Amino acid sequence: MFNRLYVHIPFCVKKCHYCAFISRNPEKDELAEYPALLLREMLLHAPAARPLDSIYFGGGTPSLLQPLQIARLLEKFAVYLGISADAEITLEVNPGTITHTSLKAFREAGINRVSLGIQSFDDAFLERLGRIHTTEQSRQAFQDAREAGFTNISMDLIHSLPGQSLEQWRAELRHAVQLGPEHISIYGLTIEEGTPFARSYPANSQELPDDDLSADMFELADELLTAAGFEHYEIANYARAGYRSQHNSGYWKRDGYLGLGVAAHSFLRDGYGVRFSNPDNLEEYRRSVTSGQLIRIGEQRLSRGDARAEYLFLGLRLAEGVDLRAFEREFGRSFESVYGPIAADLVRFGFLMQNGRVLALTSRGILLSNQVFEKFLP
Ligand code: SF4
């Protein structure tokens, strides 16, 4: 029912000004107590597991956990869920929370991929974003990760920051390429309701790049990173050959995954699939886990129509597109009989391209992907 595991660590040193993720500063014993809750939750799901092909510690700031805590979690996951010999095991790392020694210890604990939350190589932007680290700390974290033995390093960058020019964004991309990661994820800043940024930058703020400039930034990333040898394999993701994110690729291919921890989402392969999430505050999560009666928030059992639509809009995120023969094997109907007229319109207007039995987004479709995906909703 699942072969991937996501573990959410809902703690951060300090809230970034743009962040709407579930995370907060840990109170006194919370960091020490949390792994035991994760294990209790894991035991309640263990019978449905297949050996895990990937594990992803995300947050929040998972690098606030001690390497020993991660080592113990991985030992228990191996015993109760099973971990494939070549599983990808990722830790999201905030450059302001680690040292050379701790990175080495995380590597020894079994982490084999780090995802560095760099966001920007410009100290003025980092400060504006409310990040706790400097550019120098990001560079150091990258070097330390290499020296600790990590051969698979990803970094996150954000564009369309308030006041950011195309030339500043070009400098960010060059800085990233020059460090030499195996993987880069690129996100456009979105202003989330309820964050300090939503108050500072209302929708009509002159400081926010307009849609044209944001599109230029997206295209510049594509141009510069592909010229540097990265494959643009998913809307927001670039990888050197052999270094696509296995875990995230599983999401786009609708592999089953279990989410452990506060606010973690799960997708279990049962029928056409079941989606649900955990309580989004620690107190309720603790009650749910310790009672042995797990609370599933927003549980949705997918219909065949839901699953077909998901298959398409998740698969279309990938540059390789959707194999329509695989779609037909999965759902027992020809693609044309379900989506023929919708797909034909999207091809005619230049948002999709069809090559034999493969359907993929065009570069125009990538820029307007959300509007394209909506067309497939039941
Ligand atoms: S480190 Fe990440 S999760 Fe934590 S507040 Fe900043 S953006 Fe949010």
Side-chain angles (χ1 to χ4, degrees):
M1 297 233 289
F2 62 90
N3 64 324
R4 303 193 184 272
L5 184 70
Y6 173 79
V7 185
H8 190 73
I9 310 299
F11 305 116
C12 288
V13 174
K14 166 179 165 285
K15 202 76 188 157
C16 299
H17 302 328
Y18 60 98
C19 177
F21 294 122
I22 303 293
S23 71
R24 62 167 171 76
N25 197 251
E27 287 167 14
K28 62 177 177 18
D29 294 329
E30 287 177 344
L31 264 176
E33 168 212 21
Y34 192 67
L37 294 176
L38 294 171
L39 288 177
R40 285 183 84 147
E41 187 191 359
M42 180 267 294
L43 286 174
L44 295 167
H45 287 284
R50 295 217 314 263
L52 299 171
D53 294 322
S54 61
I55 301 173
Y56 194 101
F57 291 92
T61 306
S63 50
L64 284 177
L65 288 184
Q66 296 299 316
L68 197 58
Q69 292 177 299
I70 295 275
R72 293 217 172 109
L73 284 171
L74 289 175
E75 276 165 28
K76 298 289 185 196
F77 295 159
V79 170
Y80 291 99
L81 306 178
I83 302 179
S84 307
D86 57 353
E88 177 191 88
I89 307 179
T90 302
L91 179 75
E92 282 183 356
V93 168
N94 183 315
T97 59
I98 36 84
T99 61
H100 182 265
T101 311
S102 63
L103 277 164
K104 218 159 171 288
F106 281 127
R107 181 75 194 90
E108 281 157 14
I111 299 294
N112 56 26
R113 179 176 186 269
V114 287
S115 173
L116 294 173
I118 285 179
Q119 320 309 357
S120 170
F121 288 106
D122 181 321
D123 283 340
F125 282 128
L126 288 174
E127 202 179 322
R128 197 176 271 204
L129 290 166
R131 302 289 300 177
I132 59 167
H133 56 93
T134 61
T135 297
E136 189 42 44
Q137 282 174 297
S138 299
R139 292 178 63 86
Q140 191 62 50
F142 185 88
Q143 300 303 351
D144 288 345
R146 273 284 185 257
E147 281 169 25
F150 286 100
T151 54
N152 191 352
I153 303 179
S154 179
M155 55 175 68
D156 288 357
L157 289 178
I158 308 181
H159 66 74
S160 301
L161 302 177
Q164 190 176 38
S165 68
L166 196 60
E167 285 318 301
Q168 285 173 314
W169 175 234
R170 189 190 303 276
E172 300 271 9
L173 293 165
R174 286 195 172 138
H175 205 137
V177 169
Q178 187 218 342
L179 278 177
E182 282 68 37
H183 188 278
I184 301 180
S185 299
I186 303 281
Y187 304 101
L189 178 72
T190 48
I191 304 291
E192 303 286 349
E193 243 178 80
T195 61
F197 261 27
R199 290 187 288 282
S200 304
Y201 306 107
N204 55 357
S205 168
Q206 295 296 309
E207 285 191 80
L208 293 176
D210 61 22
D211 289 350
D212 285 347
L213 181 52
S214 288
D216 288 348
M217 289 182 177
F218 181 90
E219 280 166 2
L220 181 63
D222 179 57
E223 188 186 305
L224 210 141
L225 296 181
T226 51
F230 287 87
E231 179 199 8
H232 189 178
Y233 73 99
E234 192 270 348
I235 293 177
N237 287 284
Y238 297 80
R240 296 218 173 271
Y243 288 96
R244 292 181 181 198
S245 162
Q246 297 306 311
H247 187 80
N248 289 338
S249 296
Y251 292 157
W252 301 314
K253 293 183 172 163
R254 297 185 76 246
D255 287 352
Y257 58 87
L258 176 69
L260 293 181
V262 172
H265 288 252
S266 297
F267 173 61
L268 305 183
R269 288 304 302 250
D270 179 13
Y272 287 111
V274 185
R275 292 193 181 274
F276 57 90
S277 64
N278 285 347
D280 67 1
N281 70 76
L282 183 58
E283 294 65 35
E284 202 183 338
Y285 171 69
R286 187 189 291 115
R287 267 201 305 281
S288 160
V289 169
T290 51
S291 70
Q293 302 289 318
L294 293 177
I295 298 172
R296 292 180 168 191
I297 308 282
E299 178 167 347
Q300 185 197 6
R301 195 162 276 279
L302 271 63
S303 67
R304 182 155 64 158
D306 296 330
R308 276 193 309 237
E310 260 195 18
Y311 187 99
L312 276 180
F313 62 70
L314 291 174
L316 283 171
R317 297 189 63 89
L318 294 165
E320 66 210 28
V322 170
D323 180 339
L324 301 180
R325 285 161 304 196
F327 173 95
E328 287 162 1
R329 276 196 302 276
E330 178 103 6
F331 298 106
R333 281 195 52 192
S334 80
F335 174 78
E336 283 72 17
S337 70
V338 189
Y339 293 118
I342 296 170
D345 278 354
L346 290 166
V347 170
R348 192 166 57 248
F349 292 115
F351 297 112
L352 289 179
M353 54 190 169
Q354 188 166 350
N355 189 358
R357 297 305 285 157
V358 174
L359 190 69
L361 289 173
T362 58
S363 24
R364 187 158 175 233
I366 290 176
L367 284 174
L368 295 170
S369 54
N370 287 338
Q371 284 97 310
V372 174
F373 300 154
E374 270 172 21
K375 303 279 183 213
F376 292 105
L377 290 177

